[in-house]
Amino acid sequence: MEPRPVLFENGKIIVRQLTLIFFLLTIMARPAFAQNIKSPNVSGQFYDADAQKLSAAVETYVKTADVLPSAEDVEILIAPHAGYVYSGPVAGYSFKTVSQKKFKTIVILAPSHFYAFDGASVWTQGGFKTPLGVALVDEDFSTRLSAMDPKFTFVPAPYEKEHALEVEIPFLQKTFADFKIVPVIIGQMNFENCRKLADALNSLIGNRKDVLVVLSSDMSHYHDDKTARAMDMGTLEIIKKGDAQKFYQQSRLGLHEMCGMIPVTVGLILAEVRGLQAKILKYANSGDVTQDKARVVGYGSVIFYPQKKPTTNADAASDALTLEQKQALLKLARLAIEEYVTSQKVFDVTIHDPRLDFPEGAFVTIHKNGQLRGCIGHIVSEGGPLQKTVRDMAIAAATADPRFPPVQVGELKDLDLEISVLSRPWRVKNIDEIKMGVHGVLISRGKKGGVFLPQVATETHWTKEKFLSELCSQKAGFPADCWKNSDTVIEIFTADVFGERDSQ
């Protein structure tokens, strides 16, 4: 018989039963730990319960996705959460795109399908179990997030039946190593609370490059294939444009259908704050798998990555315009105005140049004898090619600027045209980021706003404070000091500006 360990103290022998104590401590600790490991809800239903089969299935979905791993620093993605046989091939696009990246923290924003509540339930401890193992929770990130607003506290009920968060985890486990998750199930929140959650996430992420946000959502439900595709294409288009408030409002009206509408709204706000642009990778619906086109569910794959932030006019486009392309656009604008003013006809654009088919925002400015005669444009392309935008904005500047009467035939010979091709705007947090004469500025509150092109600063010689005050009051109809208010969104852009005088 082995002697038991002993300790001598004050001349007395104290028997320490180390093995028994260790055993008791282990038993005492085990229940608390086990309670924080979430067992799967839909293993064997939405995906295979067998680890080897599940691993092989996910690997196939990712491998067969017809997309290359992205060279961009993807920060947010949208992936579907239906049964893998239906949505797995689309989800594979999202995760293959980021498969070469390394993330330490992965935030999963999922909707609550079975429990109605106002707010976001953040799981702060333990982990989530799947047949592939346990995905541990980033307890520091989760705890800090849950402490940032009373509506972000942990509520257990949404997790009891929910699948939308769970089905993303096996894809994460097969794609990444050494990561932790931040599980968040979101109930019904108004737009302001969506913004608060996005701002909280942005604050916690800061400058970190090792955080990924996964937005879990399917798309339209139970329409016929044609209706579903039309609706879902419209939804993806507004997501691509990055208009969070419009997406939220139109979704509330039923114009867009996403069961993860609230998580996607939060993601769109976060993308706006962090200066990200969206790229649509894949769309399909359940009818593509079942061949039943009568009642389908839509699935989309989207990534968000940083916009290029140009600092000079030459950097404003992904491929700067050549002198010949600028002259072609100016000729197009003049012909469009002359044709419309003389015969009220709009001709088809026919310039065979791939660069001019790139969708970009543009303004057309008309001067007569050195005085402004009209100026109208789109900050961001409405989806059409640049040459079409220039044609339409030229006609609008000549005939639809509310500050001036329509241009008459007799004025045509006296007009000078100027075109501004714009970069996509990005949000700034401090007006020190605005470079006068280089950046145009867009200021907005909700749906209302105003814009000054970069050349306004050059022409007026205003100070930055005067420039912003005039933008608030003159263009947006806000109080002159609205640019100082935290509720005002300030975005900047660059412009490649060229005119007919330049080519004379």
Side-chain angles (χ1 to χ4, degrees):
M1 181 177 177
E2 291 289 329
R4 288 177 292 180
V6 297
L7 177 67
F8 289 92
E9 182 179 344
N10 297 328
K12 297 180 180 180
I13 298 177
I14 301 174
V15 178
R16 172 180 285 176
Q17 297 176 321
L18 295 178
T19 304
L20 177 61
I21 293 173
F22 178 77
F23 176 75
L24 291 173
L25 288 173
T26 302
I27 293 297
M28 292 171 62
R30 190 176 296 164
F33 180 74
Q35 287 177 2
N36 291 323
I37 299 297
K38 177 73 180 68
S39 297
N41 294 328
V42 293
S43 177
Q45 301 173 49
F46 279 60
Y47 56 83
D48 207 299
D50 181 88
Q52 288 186 334
K53 292 180 180 179
L54 173 60
S55 177
V58 174
E59 188 172 327
T60 298
Y61 296 139
V62 173
K63 184 178 180 179
T64 57
D66 188 18
V67 66
L68 294 174
S70 177
E72 305 289 350
D73 293 326
V74 178
E75 297 187 26
I76 304 173
L77 64 80
I78 298 176
H81 57 232
Y84 280 15
V85 67
Y86 305 111
S87 68
V90 177
Y93 277 75
S94 296
F95 293 103
K96 184 174 182 178
T97 305
V98 294
S99 60
Q100 301 302 311
K101 309 298 181 183
K102 293 183 179 179
F103 297 104
K104 291 294 185 183
T105 301
I106 300 177
V107 182
I108 310 174
L109 304 183
S112 179
H113 285 89
F114 304 102
Y115 183 82
F117 71 107
D118 179 15
S121 177
V122 184
W123 190 290
T124 57
Q125 294 182 328
F128 278 62
K129 185 178 181 180
T130 79
L132 302 182
V134 175
L136 295 176
V137 170
D138 186 330
E139 298 185 358
D140 176 66
F141 193 111
S142 297
T143 300
R144 287 192 291 154
L145 177 61
S146 66
M148 296 186 80
D149 191 280
K151 289 188 178 294
F152 305 161
T153 190
F154 173 62
V155 179
Y159 290 89
E160 292 177 2
K161 298 180 180 180
E162 189 55 59
H163 62 276
L165 190 145
E166 176 185 326
V167 297
E168 306 294 354
I169 297 175
F171 274 96
L172 298 176
Q173 291 172 312
K174 284 292 295 180
T175 306
F176 307 110
D178 301 322
F179 70 93
K180 293 184 178 181
I181 62 174
V182 178
V184 184
I185 293 180
I186 308 177
Q188 293 302 309
M189 296 202 302
N190 61 30
F191 188 80
E192 181 57 33
N193 286 329
C194 288
R195 182 172 294 282
K196 288 181 180 179
L197 180 54
D199 287 341
L201 289 170
N202 182 57
S203 175
L204 291 173
I205 295 170
N207 294 322
R208 289 180 60 180
K209 300 298 183 182
D210 59 354
V211 179
L212 176 68
V213 178
V214 175
L215 311 176
S216 179
S217 184
D218 294 339
M219 301 191 73
S220 65
H221 278 57
Y222 309 131
H223 302 286
D224 64 86
D225 178 80
K226 183 178 180 180
T227 302
R229 288 182 186 276
M231 175 177 280
D232 291 341
M233 289 302 103
T235 301
L236 291 172
E237 183 61 30
I238 196 170
I239 287 173
K240 187 176 180 180
K241 290 179 180 178
D243 192 332
Q245 190 163 48
K246 187 175 182 180
F247 170 79
Y248 180 89
Q249 291 170 342
Q250 292 188 350
S251 296
R252 287 296 194 199
L253 294 173
L255 300 179
H256 308 294
E257 288 185 6
M258 296 190 85
C259 50
M261 183 268 283
I262 300 297
V264 171
T265 297
V266 174
L268 288 175
I269 298 171
L270 181 62
E272 179 187 9
V273 171
R274 296 185 66 81
L276 309 180
Q277 61 185 358
K279 182 177 181 180
I280 312 302
L281 300 177
K282 180 67 175 177
Y283 172 79
N285 62 48
S286 58
D288 297 318
V289 176
T290 66
Q291 301 307 310
D292 178 1
K293 303 292 186 177
R295 283 166 55 84
V296 303
V297 177
Y299 314 115
S301 169
V302 185
I303 57 171
F304 299 81
Y305 54 89
Q307 299 176 30
K308 182 181 178 182
K309 296 184 178 182
T311 56
T312 68
N313 289 348
D315 293 331
S318 57
D319 184 11
L321 294 167
T322 65
L323 176 60
E324 291 75 15
Q325 289 165 340
K326 293 177 181 179
Q327 290 175 338
L329 289 175
L330 287 166
K331 182 178 179 180
L332 170 67
R334 177 164 286 279
L335 289 175
I337 293 172
E338 291 176 349
E339 181 78 8
Y340 192 85
V341 170
T342 57
S343 63
Q344 285 72 56
K345 292 182 180 180
V346 179
F347 60 80
D348 292 333
V349 289
T350 57
I351 304 175
H352 300 294
D353 186 330
R355 176 63 183 85
L356 302 185
D357 284 336
F358 191 79
E360 289 177 288
F363 273 67
V364 175
T365 304
I366 302 173
H367 288 94
K368 177 183 176 183
N369 301 323
Q371 300 297 313
L372 182 65
R373 185 65 177 84
C375 180
I376 287 183
H378 286 313
I379 299 293
V380 178
S381 167
E382 295 292 297
L386 174 59
Q387 57 178 306
K388 181 178 181 296
T389 299
V390 168
R391 179 201 66 188
D392 294 346
M393 295 306 99
I395 294 171
T399 63
D401 189 327
R403 298 170 294 179
F404 305 98
V407 168
Q408 302 300 309
V409 174
E411 298 179 86
L412 291 173
K413 64 182 187 301
D414 299 320
L415 303 182
D416 288 315
L417 306 185
E418 181 180 82
I419 297 174
S420 302
V421 177
L422 311 184
S423 71
R424 181 175 286 273
W426 66 93
R427 190 171 180 176
V428 297
K429 297 181 179 179
N430 192 302
I431 66 169
D432 292 340
E433 298 179 54
I434 302 172
K435 296 181 181 180
M436 299 293 283
V438 173
H439 292 141
V441 181
L442 171 65
I443 202 162
S444 62
R445 287 180 175 178
K447 293 183 177 181
K448 189 177 180 183
V451 62
F452 273 154
L453 296 174
Q455 51 266 46
V456 172
T458 304
E459 294 167 356
T460 61
H461 303 291
W462 286 333
T463 64
K464 186 179 295 185
E465 290 74 14
K466 174 69 172 176
F467 179 92
L468 292 171
S469 296
E470 290 295 327
L471 176 55
C472 287
S473 59
Q474 179 190 141
K475 300 293 288 187
F478 300 148
D481 63 350
C482 79
W483 56 272
K484 300 178 182 179
N485 195 310
S486 60
D487 292 336
T488 300
V489 176
I490 301 177
E491 296 172 287
I492 61 177
F493 57 89
T494 59
D496 191 353
V497 183
F498 50 93
E500 291 179 323
R501 290 183 179 180
D502 302 332
S503 58
Q504 293 176 356

